[in-house]
Amino acid sequence: MDKAVPDFADKNLQHELLIPAPLWDFMSYMVSDPEIEKAKHERIKKLQQVKLEFKEGSYDVEARGHNNSLPMKVTFSKEKIEKIEVDNSEESEGLSEQVFKRLPKQIIEGQTLNVDAISGASSSSKGLIEGVAEAVKLAGADPEVLYVRPKPVVKWVKEVVEEETDVIIIGGGAAGIASALRADELGLRVTLIEKQSFIGGAISISGGNQVVIGSKLQKELGVTDDTPELMFEDFMKNGNNKNVPELLNLLANNVGQTTDWLTDYVGVEYDLKGGLHVLAEYRKDRELAYNHGGHGFAGAARSKMANSNVRLLLQTKAKELILDYYFKLKQKS
């Protein structure tokens, strides 16, 4: 029972392990060639012993980000990477901010390219790492040496901190942001927990269109005879009567005043120049885009959040909801 179980199956042991061909093919990602693995480990050991020397100076490179190219300038002394500067102006605001803050710091402090991508921003992370690797080549060194160096050490704090708040919101997408800002507006103490490195969620990269029935904007753009009843009927028809009536009624009767709140309080801007969308599925024009799409909504929401009293915890996971004894008694009564 004390025998260690290998992480991979030896490719030569299929018959000895009595594994049928279909299953063996399915688990191919777990099958390895011992000789190849041994050679790979030997190569890594040799690379880890290499001491790099760079041609001193700054090198301009361009890597691929989430949206566009990432112009970068990487500066070297003879023995180390000294500075990484990235022009991230074309990247989605919020999505990649942590990439350009944390990864250069980790690469420089550890003198390694063996760093983890930032959750939710893998394209920008990969682009930055590859850009530095390209600069290493220009400086006359082998980036493979930096790829096999140890990862930066993460120091975990075991201290337990207890805090009190009136409202905890889990998830910083559009709904979570709106809930947090509204609760804050009402004077409640609010904590917003988001597992990613940014808030905005899917709306940050969405097209950014919204129904605005009953809002001041819809009326300003010329539609004054739309009603929640008409919207309900249109949505039910378009949804083949599969929509949940209670939720659809809730949306139809409240989205107008919510749109006004987003405009007046949060600062979300709509594409008034583009106007209401003319769509065959609606008897009245009631759809409007955000300025700069969902990215524009997320940017305005992040700006409002930064100027609120909401306590924001990024890269934080909610693992368990613990109900106290008093709450359980109330639920039973």
Side-chain angles (χ1 to χ4, degrees), residues 40-52 142-149:
K40 188 189 298 182
H41 286 297
E42 289 300 321
R43 174 171 164 72
I44 289 173
K45 282 182 183 178
K46 287 181 181 178
L47 286 171
Q48 287 176 335
Q49 301 302 315
V50 173
K51 184 177 181 181
L52 291 181
D142 182 1
E144 284 298 315
V145 174
L146 298 178
Y147 275 116
V148 300
R149 285 184 176 176

Side-chain angles (χ1 to χ4, degrees), residues 31-166:
V31 178
S32 69
D33 185 323
E35 293 304 315
I36 292 177
E37 290 301 313
K38 182 179 178 181
K40 188 189 298 182
H41 286 297
E42 289 300 321
R43 174 171 164 72
I44 289 173
K45 282 182 183 178
K46 287 181 181 178
L47 286 171
Q48 287 176 335
Q49 301 302 315
V50 173
K51 184 177 181 181
L52 291 181
E53 284 192 9
F54 304 102
K55 289 185 276 188
E56 295 179 70
S58 296
Y59 298 86
D60 293 315
V61 292
E62 200 165 88
R64 190 71 190 165
H66 176 74
N67 290 327
N68 294 286
S69 60
L70 289 171
M72 300 169 56
K73 178 177 284 188
V74 185
T75 303
F76 299 86
S77 63
K78 187 177 180 181
E79 296 181 344
K80 61 192 294 191
I81 303 169
E82 296 286 352
K83 194 173 185 181
I84 301 170
E85 300 169 277
V86 188
D87 178 4
N88 60 317
S89 58
E90 297 299 319
E91 285 292 277
S92 298
E93 181 186 356
L95 283 177
S96 304
E97 288 174 4
Q98 291 297 316
V99 172
F100 309 115
K101 285 180 181 178
R102 292 172 52 191
L103 290 195
K105 185 172 184 288
Q106 290 179 0
I107 290 170
I108 291 170
E109 288 182 353
Q111 291 297 302
T112 178
L113 292 177
N114 187 11
V115 293
D116 292 327
I118 300 297
S119 176
S122 56
S123 295
S124 297
S125 299
K126 184 171 181 285
L128 187 143
I129 294 167
E130 289 177 350
V132 176
E134 182 61 29
V136 169
K137 288 181 186 177
L138 294 176
D142 182 1
E144 284 298 315
V145 174
L146 298 178
Y147 275 116
V148 300
R149 285 184 176 176
K151 289 179 181 288
V153 177
V154 177
K155 294 181 180 179
W156 296 100
V157 178
K158 294 184 179 180
E159 179 186 2
V160 176
V161 178
E162 291 190 6
E163 297 184 7
E164 289 189 3
T165 186
D166 297 320

Side-chain angles (χ1 to χ4, degrees), residues 234-246:
D234 288 348
F235 271 62
M236 288 299 287
K237 182 178 179 181
N238 297 331
N240 198 28
N241 292 311
K242 299 294 185 182
N243 309 67
V244 180
E246 294 81 4

Side-chain angles (χ1 to χ4, degrees), residues 105-295:
K105 185 172 184 288
Q106 290 179 0
I107 290 170
I108 291 170
E109 288 182 353
Q111 291 297 302
T112 178
L113 292 177
N114 187 11
V115 293
D116 292 327
I118 300 297
S119 176
S122 56
S123 295
S124 297
S125 299
K126 184 171 181 285
L128 187 143
I129 294 167
E130 289 177 350
V132 176
E134 182 61 29
V136 169
K137 288 181 186 177
L138 294 176
D142 182 1
E144 284 298 315
V145 174
L146 298 178
Y147 275 116
V148 300
R149 285 184 176 176
K151 289 179 181 288
V153 177
V154 177
K155 294 181 180 179
W156 296 100
V157 178
K158 294 184 179 180
E159 179 186 2
V160 176
V161 178
E162 291 190 6
E163 297 184 7
E164 289 189 3
T165 186
D166 297 320
V167 181
I168 293 179
I169 296 166
I170 301 170
I177 292 171
S179 301
L181 289 175
R182 179 59 176 153
D184 178 60
E185 183 186 15
L186 295 173
L188 298 171
R189 294 174 300 170
V190 185
T191 299
L192 176 60
I193 296 173
E194 169 55 51
K195 68 179 180 180
Q196 302 281 24
S197 60
F198 62 93
I199 56 171
I203 200 167
S204 300
I205 54 175
S206 74
N209 301 311
Q210 182 206 308
V211 167
V212 296
I213 178 177
S215 67
K216 291 184 289 187
L217 293 179
Q218 188 189 30
K219 295 180 176 66
E220 288 172 13
L221 292 170
V223 177
T224 58
D225 58 347
D226 200 2
T227 66
E229 290 75 24
L230 281 176
M231 174 179 157
F232 180 90
E233 292 170 5
D234 288 348
F235 271 62
M236 288 299 287
K237 182 178 179 181
N238 297 331
N240 198 28
N241 292 311
K242 299 294 185 182
N243 309 67
V244 180
E246 294 81 4
L247 295 179
L248 185 52
N249 267 316
L250 188 67
L251 173 65
N253 286 285
N254 290 278
V255 71
Q257 67 186 64
T258 301
T259 302
D260 295 340
W261 177 78
L262 287 172
T263 304
D264 299 336
Y265 183 74
V266 181
V268 173
E269 295 181 351
Y270 291 79
D271 181 16
L272 302 183
K273 187 176 180 181
L276 292 165
H277 301 167
V278 180
L279 301 172
E281 59 263 36
Y282 297 152
R283 284 173 286 175
K284 302 293 179 181
D285 298 339
R286 60 172 71 102
E287 184 180 279
L288 195 59
Y290 306 118
N291 265 349
H292 309 295
H295 173 57

